[in-house]
Amino acid sequence: MTEEEKKLTDRRFYKAEQEATFAGEQTGTLQTQHPAYQLAFQDTDFLLRDELRPVRFQLELLKPEMLLEEANIGSTLVMYGSARIPSPEKCDDVLAKATSDEDRKVAERLVAKAKYYEEARKLARIASQCGLVEKGMRQFVVCSGGGPSIMEAANRGAHEVGAESLGLNIVLPHEQAPNPYVTPRLSFQFHYFALRKMHFLLRARAVAVFPGGFGTLDEMLEMITLIQTGKMKPIPVLLYGREFWEKVINFEALAEEGVIARKDLDLFTWCETAEDGWKAIRAFYDLDCG
């Protein structure tokens, strides 16, 4: 018996990775070559079966949670918004690609919203530069959906001041990749929308919502519903672009019709600039930073 084996604190069972190595060294026979003989956690075909969906749910919950904990991410500033609004440097290209009058009008409306790309970028810079740390955990780390446009602006702003930021991507039928500003070790990919949404809000201590489409609407309204119903404690919800949002959602009508309470309109704060948003966050948490 070695000195290591005599220690009371020594493991008495091999780690899974060691067992996997042992299994790989086995001499090939008809039995060992059959998929049934594979270790369950190494059998991809088995893990992808419909019956294993609950296990895949658990894996998508655990992997980001464990890696974010190891990275000392205590809380996040989540930034939602369109994947189609161009950055200022791409506006000319968007306009040039318009081939009809209708396309031109749509392109012009998207280009007019490029200002929100800049505000998202600036808000990310402000939050990242503060570098708040509490109990050894980093606070208000920027988190986006990992894609282009407003999401890119969020990660870009953090990257420009040397700060890390998260990107929570989702597998889609068409090609989609993380924007180049997401910190590689904090870049995650999800199969399940539900688990992605959960990770957006688990650490969120503020959420900035910029003009966007179905995805942005879905994420925003679900979050506000969670706060409205008391399932989630209140956090600053910054709604950027009042003219846009009041055009696509008649919030006042919802209150007038009685399907929401008048006080529910106070669950979010209207913003136009990065400074507006950070001021609201500072006031909510009584922060000195910035």
Side-chain angles (χ1 to χ4, degrees):
M1 181 179 291
T2 66
E3 289 300 316
E4 187 67 24
E5 290 172 335
K6 292 179 181 179
K7 293 181 180 178
L8 293 174
T9 56
D10 183 47
R11 292 177 65 99
R12 288 300 183 258
F13 292 95
Y14 292 108
K15 294 182 178 180
E17 59 186 327
Q18 292 174 293
E19 292 279 357
T21 300
F22 299 155
E25 294 172 348
Q26 293 175 345
T27 303
T29 66
L30 289 176
Q31 291 75 23
T32 61
Q33 291 173 358
H34 196 280
Y37 198 72
Q38 280 187 285
L39 288 167
F41 57 80
Q42 288 189 306
D43 188 344
T44 304
D45 290 336
F46 174 68
L47 290 173
L48 294 179
R49 289 175 58 156
D50 285 347
E51 298 92 335
L52 270 290
R53 185 174 291 114
V55 175
R56 295 196 297 274
F57 263 66
Q58 187 175 24
L59 290 173
E60 285 209 345
L61 174 63
L62 276 174
K63 182 181 178 181
E65 179 65 20
M66 291 170 66
L67 294 180
L68 291 175
E69 189 72 20
E70 290 170 3
N72 296 319
I73 308 295
S75 69
T76 56
L77 165 57
V78 174
M79 301 175 75
Y80 294 138
S82 173
R84 302 187 183 194
I85 294 173
S87 62
E89 53 265 54
K90 293 182 179 179
C91 287
D92 288 343
D93 289 340
V94 170
L95 293 172
K97 290 177 181 177
T99 57
S100 68
D101 289 342
E102 181 58 31
D103 288 345
R104 180 78 185 185
K105 291 177 182 177
V106 171
E108 288 173 349
R109 286 193 283 267
L110 285 173
V111 165
K113 295 180 184 65
K115 62 182 181 180
Y116 292 116
Y117 182 103
E118 283 301 290
E119 294 306 325
R121 183 177 171 185
K122 187 174 182 181
L123 178 60
R125 285 201 303 261
I126 293 172
S128 298
Q129 281 178 314
C130 271
L132 289 171
V133 177
E134 186 176 292
K135 296 182 179 179
M137 304 295 280
R138 291 181 285 162
Q139 309 300 322
F140 297 110
V141 178
V142 170
C143 174
S144 84
S149 189
I150 296 297
M151 295 173 279
E152 175 189 280
N155 298 115
R156 184 176 178 178
H159 179 78
E160 287 170 340
V161 294
E164 292 192 318
S165 66
L166 286 66
L168 309 185
N169 282 74
I170 187 81
V171 176
L172 298 173
H174 53 82
E175 183 180 351
Q176 197 229 27
N179 69 67
Y181 303 106
V182 179
T183 302
R185 71 170 181 147
L186 301 177
S187 182
F188 303 100
Q189 183 173 215
F190 292 85
H191 171 59
Y192 298 107
F193 264 110
L195 272 297
R196 180 177 182 248
K197 287 182 178 180
M198 180 175 286
H199 278 291
F200 268 130
L201 296 182
L202 279 175
R203 283 176 165 75
R205 293 300 176 269
V207 176
V209 186
F210 292 84
F214 288 155
T216 304
L217 279 165
D218 175 44
E219 292 157 343
M220 176 188 75
L221 292 176
E222 184 168 353
M223 170 188 56
I224 291 176
T225 300
L226 288 170
I227 298 173
Q228 179 204 42
T229 57
K231 290 291 289 183
M232 177 180 174
K233 293 179 181 178
I235 62 173
V237 177
L238 317 173
L239 215 51
Y240 278 82
R242 185 166 189 165
E243 182 180 357
F244 169 83
W245 287 114
E246 290 191 330
K247 183 178 179 181
V248 298
I249 303 176
N250 194 332
F251 294 103
E252 280 293 328
L254 290 173
E256 289 171 3
E257 293 294 327
V259 292
I260 65 170
R262 173 64 58 178
K263 65 179 181 179
D264 292 336
L265 298 178
D266 296 328
L267 295 176
F268 51 85
T269 300
W270 292 113
C271 296
E272 288 297 328
T273 68
E275 289 81 5
D276 291 341
W278 190 245
K279 180 180 179 181
I281 293 172
R282 286 182 57 198
F284 188 94
Y285 291 107
D286 194 24
L287 301 176
D288 291 330
C289 182

